[in-house]
mmCIF file of all heavy atoms in Angstrom:
data_model
loop_
_atom_site.group_PDB
_atom_site.id
_atom_site.type_symbol
_atom_site.label_atom_id
_atom_site.label_comp_id
_atom_site.label_asym_id
_atom_site.label_seq_id
_atom_site.Cartn_x
_atom_site.Cartn_y
_atom_site.Cartn_z
ATOM 1 N N VAL A 290 0.840 -1.161 0.021
ATOM 2 C CA VAL A 290 0.014 0.003 -0.035
ATOM 3 C C VAL A 290 0.899 1.185 0.026
ATOM 4 O O VAL A 290 1.749 1.378 0.901
ATOM 5 C CB VAL A 290 -0.901 0.014 1.252
ATOM 6 C CG1 VAL A 290 -1.614 1.365 1.336
ATOM 7 C CG2 VAL A 290 -1.932 -1.106 1.131
ATOM 8 N N VAL A 291 0.714 2.082 -1.023
ATOM 9 C CA VAL A 291 1.616 3.308 -1.105
ATOM 10 C C VAL A 291 0.823 4.441 -0.445
ATOM 11 O O VAL A 291 -0.258 4.792 -0.886
ATOM 12 C CB VAL A 291 1.792 3.616 -2.620
ATOM 13 C CG1 VAL A 291 2.686 4.831 -2.722
ATOM 14 C CG2 VAL A 291 2.462 2.399 -3.318
ATOM 15 N N LEU A 292 1.472 5.013 0.512
ATOM 16 C CA LEU A 292 0.881 6.086 1.292
ATOM 17 C C LEU A 292 1.550 7.383 0.761
ATOM 18 O O LEU A 292 2.709 7.613 0.872
ATOM 19 C CB LEU A 292 1.221 5.995 2.775
ATOM 20 C CG LEU A 292 0.581 7.133 3.682
ATOM 21 C CD1 LEU A 292 -0.957 6.996 3.660
ATOM 22 C CD2 LEU A 292 1.139 6.992 5.065
ATOM 23 N N SER A 293 0.786 8.268 0.063
ATOM 24 C CA SER A 293 1.267 9.433 -0.545
ATOM 25 C C SER A 293 0.544 10.672 -0.022
ATOM 26 O O SER A 293 -0.458 10.550 0.617
ATOM 27 C CB SER A 293 1.167 9.354 -2.081
ATOM 28 O OG SER A 293 -0.191 9.250 -2.489
ATOM 29 N N GLY A 294 1.103 11.868 -0.404
ATOM 30 C CA GLY A 294 0.455 13.140 0.019
ATOM 31 C C GLY A 294 1.232 13.815 1.117
ATOM 32 O O GLY A 294 2.423 13.591 1.273
ATOM 33 N N THR A 295 0.506 14.708 1.882
ATOM 34 C CA THR A 295 1.267 15.493 2.857
ATOM 35 C C THR A 295 0.477 15.507 4.166
ATOM 36 O O THR A 295 -0.834 15.277 4.121
ATOM 37 C CB THR A 295 1.382 16.949 2.425
ATOM 38 O OG1 THR A 295 0.067 17.537 2.230
ATOM 39 C CG2 THR A 295 2.228 17.069 1.163
ATOM 40 N N ILE A 296 1.154 15.706 5.273
ATOM 41 C CA ILE A 296 0.513 15.882 6.548
ATOM 42 C C ILE A 296 1.275 16.992 7.296
ATOM 43 O O ILE A 296 2.517 17.045 7.310
ATOM 44 C CB ILE A 296 0.495 14.573 7.368
ATOM 45 C CG1 ILE A 296 -0.245 14.706 8.758
ATOM 46 C CG2 ILE A 296 1.908 13.993 7.514
ATOM 47 C CD1 ILE A 296 -0.387 13.370 9.435
ATOM 48 N N PRO A 297 0.583 17.830 7.942
ATOM 49 C CA PRO A 297 1.277 18.981 8.696
ATOM 50 C C PRO A 297 2.181 18.485 9.813
ATOM 51 O O PRO A 297 1.956 17.314 10.418
ATOM 52 C CB PRO A 297 0.135 19.847 9.306
ATOM 53 C CG PRO A 297 -1.067 19.565 8.335
ATOM 54 C CD PRO A 297 -0.917 18.116 7.937
ATOM 55 N N VAL A 298 3.220 19.278 10.202
ATOM 56 C CA VAL A 298 4.115 18.916 11.271
ATOM 57 C C VAL A 298 3.313 18.620 12.550
ATOM 58 O O VAL A 298 2.374 19.369 13.015
ATOM 59 C CB VAL A 298 4.984 20.063 11.479
ATOM 60 C CG1 VAL A 298 5.799 19.857 12.797
ATOM 61 C CG2 VAL A 298 5.978 20.260 10.318
ATOM 62 N N GLY A 299 3.623 17.499 13.086
ATOM 63 C CA GLY A 299 3.039 17.055 14.424
ATOM 64 C C GLY A 299 1.614 16.589 14.409
ATOM 65 O O GLY A 299 1.046 16.306 15.397
ATOM 66 N N ASP A 300 0.968 16.608 13.162
ATOM 67 C CA ASP A 300 -0.408 16.254 13.140
ATOM 68 C C ASP A 300 -0.588 14.733 13.086
ATOM 69 O O ASP A 300 0.413 13.951 12.871
ATOM 70 C CB ASP A 300 -1.141 16.877 11.847
ATOM 71 C CG ASP A 300 -2.558 17.049 11.990
ATOM 72 O OD1 ASP A 300 -3.135 16.491 12.959
ATOM 73 O OD2 ASP A 300 -3.145 17.803 11.189
ATOM 74 N N THR A 301 -1.831 14.226 13.380
ATOM 75 C CA THR A 301 -2.081 12.718 13.267
ATOM 76 C C THR A 301 -3.372 12.637 12.519
ATOM 77 O O THR A 301 -4.304 13.414 12.593
ATOM 78 C CB THR A 301 -2.273 12.132 14.653
ATOM 79 O OG1 THR A 301 -3.295 12.823 15.373
ATOM 80 C CG2 THR A 301 -0.926 12.283 15.492
ATOM 81 N N THR A 302 -3.463 11.479 11.859
ATOM 82 C CA THR A 302 -4.725 11.095 11.171
ATOM 83 C C THR A 302 -4.753 9.596 10.916
ATOM 84 O O THR A 302 -3.749 8.954 11.124
ATOM 85 C CB THR A 302 -4.858 11.825 9.796
ATOM 86 O OG1 THR A 302 -6.202 11.669 9.323
ATOM 87 C CG2 THR A 302 -3.930 11.321 8.797
ATOM 88 N N THR A 303 -5.869 9.166 10.517
ATOM 89 C CA THR A 303 -6.033 7.705 10.255
ATOM 90 C C THR A 303 -6.734 7.540 8.851
ATOM 91 O O THR A 303 -7.657 8.229 8.516
ATOM 92 C CB THR A 303 -7.005 7.024 11.266
ATOM 93 O OG1 THR A 303 -6.400 7.105 12.588
ATOM 94 C CG2 THR A 303 -7.153 5.581 10.923
ATOM 95 N N VAL A 304 -6.101 6.698 8.035
ATOM 96 C CA VAL A 304 -6.560 6.420 6.703
ATOM 97 C C VAL A 304 -7.019 4.944 6.625
ATOM 98 O O VAL A 304 -6.265 4.130 7.059
ATOM 99 C CB VAL A 304 -5.453 6.673 5.718
ATOM 100 C CG1 VAL A 304 -5.964 6.490 4.281
ATOM 101 C CG2 VAL A 304 -4.936 8.182 5.811
ATOM 102 N N GLU A 305 -8.169 4.735 6.045
ATOM 103 C CA GLU A 305 -8.608 3.319 5.839
ATOM 104 C C GLU A 305 -8.186 2.858 4.467
ATOM 105 O O GLU A 305 -8.148 3.628 3.496
ATOM 106 C CB GLU A 305 -10.131 3.205 5.896
ATOM 107 C CG GLU A 305 -10.709 3.536 7.334
ATOM 108 C CD GLU A 305 -12.204 3.400 7.373
ATOM 109 O OE1 GLU A 305 -12.816 3.401 6.221
ATOM 110 O OE2 GLU A 305 -12.752 3.309 8.474
ATOM 111 N N VAL A 306 -7.809 1.545 4.379
ATOM 112 C CA VAL A 306 -7.494 0.910 3.123
ATOM 113 C C VAL A 306 -8.155 -0.479 3.121
ATOM 114 O O VAL A 306 -7.990 -1.241 4.036
ATOM 115 C CB VAL A 306 -5.975 0.892 2.860
ATOM 116 C CG1 VAL A 306 -5.179 0.124 3.952
ATOM 117 C CG2 VAL A 306 -5.642 0.287 1.472
ATOM 118 N N THR A 307 -8.790 -0.796 1.985
ATOM 119 C CA THR A 307 -9.380 -2.183 1.886
ATOM 120 C C THR A 307 -8.333 -3.186 1.430
ATOM 121 O O THR A 307 -7.349 -2.811 0.763
ATOM 122 C CB THR A 307 -10.582 -2.191 0.966
ATOM 123 O OG1 THR A 307 -10.140 -1.708 -0.340
ATOM 124 C CG2 THR A 307 -11.701 -1.214 1.492
ATOM 125 N N PHE A 308 -8.593 -4.391 1.771
ATOM 126 C CA PHE A 308 -7.642 -5.461 1.429
ATOM 127 C C PHE A 308 -7.929 -5.893 -0.080
ATOM 128 O O PHE A 308 -9.074 -6.092 -0.485
ATOM 129 C CB PHE A 308 -7.741 -6.776 2.292
ATOM 130 C CG PHE A 308 -7.509 -6.389 3.725
ATOM 131 C CD1 PHE A 308 -8.385 -6.813 4.760
ATOM 132 C CD2 PHE A 308 -6.355 -5.757 4.145
ATOM 133 C CE1 PHE A 308 -8.152 -6.558 6.074
ATOM 134 C CE2 PHE A 308 -6.029 -5.444 5.424
ATOM 135 C CZ PHE A 308 -7.025 -5.900 6.430
ATOM 136 N N ARG A 309 -6.791 -6.057 -0.836
ATOM 137 C CA ARG A 309 -6.969 -6.558 -2.172
ATOM 138 C C ARG A 309 -7.396 -8.000 -2.109
ATOM 139 O O ARG A 309 -8.162 -8.534 -2.948
ATOM 140 C CB ARG A 309 -5.659 -6.455 -2.950
ATOM 141 C CG ARG A 309 -5.621 -6.879 -4.355
ATOM 142 C CD ARG A 309 -4.295 -6.684 -5.047
ATOM 143 N NE ARG A 309 -3.317 -7.524 -4.328
ATOM 144 C CZ ARG A 309 -2.051 -7.701 -4.793
ATOM 145 N NH1 ARG A 309 -1.655 -7.083 -5.783
ATOM 146 N NH2 ARG A 309 -1.236 -8.514 -4.095
ATOM 147 N N ASP A 310 -6.785 -8.759 -1.186
ATOM 148 C CA ASP A 310 -7.179 -10.229 -1.040
ATOM 149 C C ASP A 310 -7.439 -10.419 0.415
ATOM 150 O O ASP A 310 -6.553 -10.362 1.305
ATOM 151 C CB ASP A 310 -5.931 -11.062 -1.414
ATOM 152 C CG ASP A 310 -6.241 -12.539 -1.375
ATOM 153 O OD1 ASP A 310 -7.058 -12.970 -0.513
ATOM 154 O OD2 ASP A 310 -5.660 -13.357 -2.199
ATOM 155 N N VAL A 311 -8.756 -10.583 0.752
ATOM 156 C CA VAL A 311 -9.133 -10.627 2.234
ATOM 157 C C VAL A 311 -8.662 -11.906 2.928
ATOM 158 O O VAL A 311 -8.391 -11.886 4.088
ATOM 159 C CB VAL A 311 -10.655 -10.491 2.330
ATOM 160 C CG1 VAL A 311 -11.099 -9.065 2.004
ATOM 161 C CG2 VAL A 311 -11.386 -11.502 1.509
ATOM 162 N N SER A 312 -8.585 -13.056 2.197
ATOM 163 C CA SER A 312 -8.008 -14.203 2.798
ATOM 164 C C SER A 312 -6.547 -14.082 3.161
ATOM 165 O O SER A 312 -6.067 -14.563 4.156
ATOM 166 C CB SER A 312 -8.235 -15.433 1.914
ATOM 167 O OG SER A 312 -9.583 -15.869 1.831
ATOM 168 N N GLU A 313 -5.853 -13.417 2.251
ATOM 169 C CA GLU A 313 -4.454 -13.150 2.485
ATOM 170 C C GLU A 313 -4.214 -12.366 3.727
ATOM 171 O O GLU A 313 -3.314 -12.543 4.551
ATOM 172 C CB GLU A 313 -3.798 -12.457 1.335
ATOM 173 C CG GLU A 313 -2.326 -12.067 1.457
ATOM 174 C CD GLU A 313 -1.761 -11.201 0.371
ATOM 175 O OE1 GLU A 313 -2.581 -10.644 -0.378
ATOM 176 O OE2 GLU A 313 -0.549 -11.102 0.354
ATOM 177 N N ALA A 314 -5.111 -11.411 3.955
ATOM 178 C CA ALA A 314 -5.036 -10.523 5.207
ATOM 179 C C ALA A 314 -5.243 -11.362 6.451
ATOM 180 O O ALA A 314 -4.567 -11.210 7.412
ATOM 181 C CB ALA A 314 -6.078 -9.401 5.078
ATOM 182 N N TYR A 315 -6.263 -12.200 6.386
ATOM 183 C CA TYR A 315 -6.523 -13.161 7.553
ATOM 184 C C TYR A 315 -5.231 -13.967 7.842
ATOM 185 O O TYR A 315 -4.856 -14.101 9.030
ATOM 186 C CB TYR A 315 -7.672 -14.012 7.211
ATOM 187 C CG TYR A 315 -8.236 -14.817 8.383
ATOM 188 C CD1 TYR A 315 -9.423 -14.486 9.012
ATOM 189 C CD2 TYR A 315 -7.570 -15.899 8.863
ATOM 190 C CE1 TYR A 315 -10.001 -15.237 10.008
ATOM 191 C CE2 TYR A 315 -8.025 -16.670 9.847
ATOM 192 C CZ TYR A 315 -9.240 -16.392 10.489
ATOM 193 O OH TYR A 315 -9.683 -17.112 11.536
ATOM 194 N N LEU A 316 -4.666 -14.613 6.806
ATOM 195 C CA LEU A 316 -3.537 -15.501 7.044
ATOM 196 C C LEU A 316 -2.374 -14.728 7.513
ATOM 197 O O LEU A 316 -1.588 -15.177 8.362
ATOM 198 C CB LEU A 316 -3.257 -16.234 5.700
ATOM 199 C CG LEU A 316 -4.340 -17.138 5.213
ATOM 200 C CD1 LEU A 316 -4.028 -17.678 3.849
ATOM 201 C CD2 LEU A 316 -4.648 -18.288 6.197
ATOM 202 N N ALA A 317 -2.158 -13.491 7.000
ATOM 203 C CA ALA A 317 -0.999 -12.653 7.458
ATOM 204 C C ALA A 317 -1.228 -12.353 8.955
ATOM 205 O O ALA A 317 -0.200 -12.343 9.672
ATOM 206 C CB ALA A 317 -0.944 -11.432 6.607
ATOM 207 N N ALA A 318 -2.413 -12.021 9.311
ATOM 208 C CA ALA A 318 -2.590 -11.705 10.751
ATOM 209 C C ALA A 318 -2.443 -12.860 11.652
ATOM 210 O O ALA A 318 -1.831 -12.778 12.782
ATOM 211 C CB ALA A 318 -4.047 -11.116 10.901
ATOM 212 N N LEU A 319 -2.847 -14.055 11.182
ATOM 213 C CA LEU A 319 -2.588 -15.317 11.941
ATOM 214 C C LEU A 319 -1.111 -15.597 12.027
ATOM 215 O O LEU A 319 -0.626 -15.985 13.145
ATOM 216 C CB LEU A 319 -3.321 -16.499 11.312
ATOM 217 C CG LEU A 319 -3.079 -17.808 11.936
ATOM 218 C CD1 LEU A 319 -3.552 -17.805 13.423
ATOM 219 C CD2 LEU A 319 -3.925 -18.947 11.218
ATOM 220 N N ARG A 320 -0.336 -15.394 10.895
ATOM 221 C CA ARG A 320 1.081 -15.629 10.989
ATOM 222 C C ARG A 320 1.748 -14.663 12.089
ATOM 223 O O ARG A 320 2.569 -15.107 12.829
ATOM 224 C CB ARG A 320 1.793 -15.308 9.618
ATOM 225 C CG ARG A 320 1.561 -16.380 8.593
ATOM 226 C CD ARG A 320 2.414 -16.138 7.384
ATOM 227 N NE ARG A 320 1.804 -16.841 6.186
ATOM 228 C CZ ARG A 320 0.995 -16.208 5.325
ATOM 229 N NH1 ARG A 320 0.762 -14.918 5.428
ATOM 230 N NH2 ARG A 320 0.592 -16.877 4.281
ATOM 231 N N GLU A 321 1.271 -13.461 12.024
ATOM 232 C CA GLU A 321 1.775 -12.464 13.031
ATOM 233 C C GLU A 321 1.532 -12.981 14.460
ATOM 234 O O GLU A 321 2.387 -12.882 15.372
ATOM 235 C CB GLU A 321 1.129 -11.139 12.814
ATOM 236 C CG GLU A 321 1.543 -10.038 13.801
ATOM 237 C CD GLU A 321 0.898 -8.775 13.569
ATOM 238 O OE1 GLU A 321 0.792 -8.252 12.378
ATOM 239 O OE2 GLU A 321 0.304 -8.174 14.511
ATOM 240 N N ALA A 322 0.348 -13.450 14.742
ATOM 241 C CA ALA A 322 -0.025 -13.920 16.087
ATOM 242 C C ALA A 322 0.859 -15.164 16.425
ATOM 243 O O ALA A 322 1.304 -15.254 17.606
ATOM 244 C CB ALA A 322 -1.526 -14.314 16.202
ATOM 245 N N LEU A 323 1.086 -16.049 15.468
ATOM 246 C CA LEU A 323 1.910 -17.252 15.754
ATOM 247 C C LEU A 323 3.333 -16.819 16.044
ATOM 248 O O LEU A 323 4.000 -17.230 17.032
ATOM 249 C CB LEU A 323 1.940 -18.111 14.474
ATOM 250 C CG LEU A 323 0.596 -18.813 14.207
ATOM 251 C CD1 LEU A 323 0.684 -19.567 12.849
ATOM 252 C CD2 LEU A 323 0.172 -19.816 15.241
ATOM 253 N N VAL A 324 3.928 -15.839 15.223
ATOM 254 C CA VAL A 324 5.256 -15.490 15.422
ATOM 255 C C VAL A 324 5.430 -14.707 16.740
ATOM 256 O O VAL A 324 6.344 -14.875 17.451
ATOM 257 C CB VAL A 324 5.752 -14.538 14.199
ATOM 258 C CG1 VAL A 324 7.093 -13.924 14.558
ATOM 259 C CG2 VAL A 324 5.815 -15.391 12.988
ATOM 260 N N ASP A 325 4.445 -13.848 17.090
ATOM 261 C CA ASP A 325 4.520 -13.181 18.394
ATOM 262 C C ASP A 325 4.485 -14.069 19.581
ATOM 263 O O ASP A 325 5.024 -13.836 20.579
ATOM 264 C CB ASP A 325 3.288 -12.196 18.472
ATOM 265 C CG ASP A 325 3.516 -10.913 17.629
ATOM 266 O OD1 ASP A 325 4.655 -10.756 17.053
ATOM 267 O OD2 ASP A 325 2.506 -10.121 17.466
ATOM 268 N N ARG A 326 3.876 -15.249 19.349
ATOM 269 C CA ARG A 326 3.790 -16.250 20.417
ATOM 270 C C ARG A 326 5.012 -17.137 20.497
ATOM 271 O O ARG A 326 5.280 -17.848 21.445
ATOM 272 C CB ARG A 326 2.569 -17.166 20.318
ATOM 273 C CG ARG A 326 2.284 -18.080 21.420
ATOM 274 C CD ARG A 326 1.984 -17.177 22.704
ATOM 275 N NE ARG A 326 1.735 -18.013 23.894
ATOM 276 C CZ ARG A 326 2.684 -18.410 24.744
ATOM 277 N NH1 ARG A 326 3.956 -18.225 24.419
ATOM 278 N NH2 ARG A 326 2.408 -19.093 25.776
ATOM 279 N N GLY A 327 5.936 -16.949 19.457
ATOM 280 C CA GLY A 327 7.167 -17.790 19.442
ATOM 281 C C GLY A 327 7.113 -18.961 18.486
ATOM 282 O O GLY A 327 8.003 -19.823 18.546
#
């Protein structure tokens, strides 16, 4: 996901992005949980 554009100094914001492949997103999150657990 390419994040482009500008944001003022010290500001914060949240941007939503949909998954191109929703199953891939699920599996990536599960891998993250497994790795975090060791």
